[in-house]
Amino acid sequence: MEQAPFQRGAYFKEKSKERSKIEGKNSEFKHRPVDVATSTGLIVMETQGAMAIFTLTLKRM
């Protein structure tokens, strides 16, 4: 009941537009390059994550 008036407000609508832009980027990162780990081990997975972030950043440029 308390949430409904907040969601009708201008602040929520403005932030909702920003969120939709960010959610697409997060979804692409989550499902494309790091969907499946290629190796095991913490260091290898950290490296794979860093490379995925780097690749997506280059793609967006």
Side-chain angles (χ1 to χ4, degrees):
M1 297 297 285
E2 295 175 17
Q3 187 68 19
F6 174 72
Q7 289 182 346
R8 286 191 292 264
Y11 178 78
F12 179 81
K13 291 179 182 178
E14 179 183 327
K15 292 300 178 182
S16 180
K17 289 178 186 176
E18 291 178 22
R19 181 179 177 176
S20 65
K21 296 174 191 174
I22 295 169
E23 288 294 329
K25 294 174 186 173
N26 288 344
S27 176
E28 182 180 14
F29 172 71
K30 182 179 176 186
H31 290 95
R32 298 257 167 96
V34 287
D35 193 22
V36 177
T38 56
S39 299
T40 59
L42 185 59
I43 295 172
V44 176
M45 292 186 74
E46 286 177 355
T47 304
Q48 182 181 351
M51 291 301 293
I53 293 169
F54 179 73
T55 304
L56 287 173
T57 302
L58 285 178
K59 178 184 168 191
R60 298 222 176 259
M61 289 179 168

